[in-house]
Amino acid sequence: MEQCLSPVRTTTERVLHAVIFEVVANVLVFIILIIFASAAPSQSALLTIVSSTLAMGWNYLFNLMFDSVQLRTGFKKDWRIRCLHAVLFEAGLLFVLIPFAAWWLDITLFAALKLECGLVLFFLVYAYLFNLIWDYGRASLKK
């Protein structure tokens, strides 16, 4: 079913996808930072908002590029491609988020790397599941 789904999406769908992805993620990350990083709620909130803003822009751009490659090459979104999609998306975010987290939380780059690696593990699973559910929902709406 999902492998036959066209990668062509409207701008509205892309924006909706990014916003819903980030809203759910923000709530979860806010809680994770308070519990596991001992961040104050205000620190957690601002870090989450800034990270989300950067991630939404990257989400839109990355998925636009990814879908473009899919259209040109014709590959199907099997589990391996979905895993690659999640890994590449998160790797792109790390380049920006590690220095920002280190600065905002007043921690070393290494401590920020460890924090971001924990969040990446969370987001690898989250991104895979969110996009799988999104595509199933999208496919059922197209019927």
Side-chain angles (χ1 to χ4, degrees), residues 7 9 11 14 58-72 85:
R9 301 171 193 218
T11 298
R14 289 180 189 284
W58 176 236
N59 186 314
Y60 179 84
L61 180 63
F62 179 79
N63 283 305
L64 186 65
M65 293 184 300
F66 196 89
D67 290 349
S68 174
V69 171
Q70 184 180 11
L71 279 171
R72 281 187 278 124
H85 179 275

Side-chain angles (χ1 to χ4, degrees), residues 7-97:
V8 178
R9 301 171 193 218
T10 65
T11 298
T12 301
E13 182 184 353
R14 289 180 189 284
V15 170
L16 185 63
H17 176 271
V19 169
I20 293 171
F21 182 95
E22 290 303 318
V23 166
V24 173
N26 275 335
V27 171
L28 296 172
V29 170
F30 176 78
I31 294 166
I32 288 169
L33 287 173
I34 290 171
I35 293 171
F36 295 108
S38 301
S42 60
Q43 277 184 309
S44 180
L46 190 61
L47 182 58
T48 301
I49 291 167
V50 169
S51 297
S52 173
T53 302
L54 293 169
M56 278 194 291
W58 176 236
N59 186 314
Y60 179 84
L61 180 63
F62 179 79
N63 283 305
L64 186 65
M65 293 184 300
F66 196 89
D67 290 349
S68 174
V69 171
Q70 184 180 11
L71 279 171
R72 281 187 278 124
T73 62
F75 66 81
K76 303 295 182 211
K77 281 187 179 177
D78 62 11
W79 71 270
R80 291 172 297 240
I81 294 297
R82 289 185 181 284
C83 288
L84 178 65
H85 179 275
V87 168
L88 291 175
F89 176 81
E90 292 303 325
L93 275 180
L94 284 177
F95 287 109
V96 175
L97 294 181

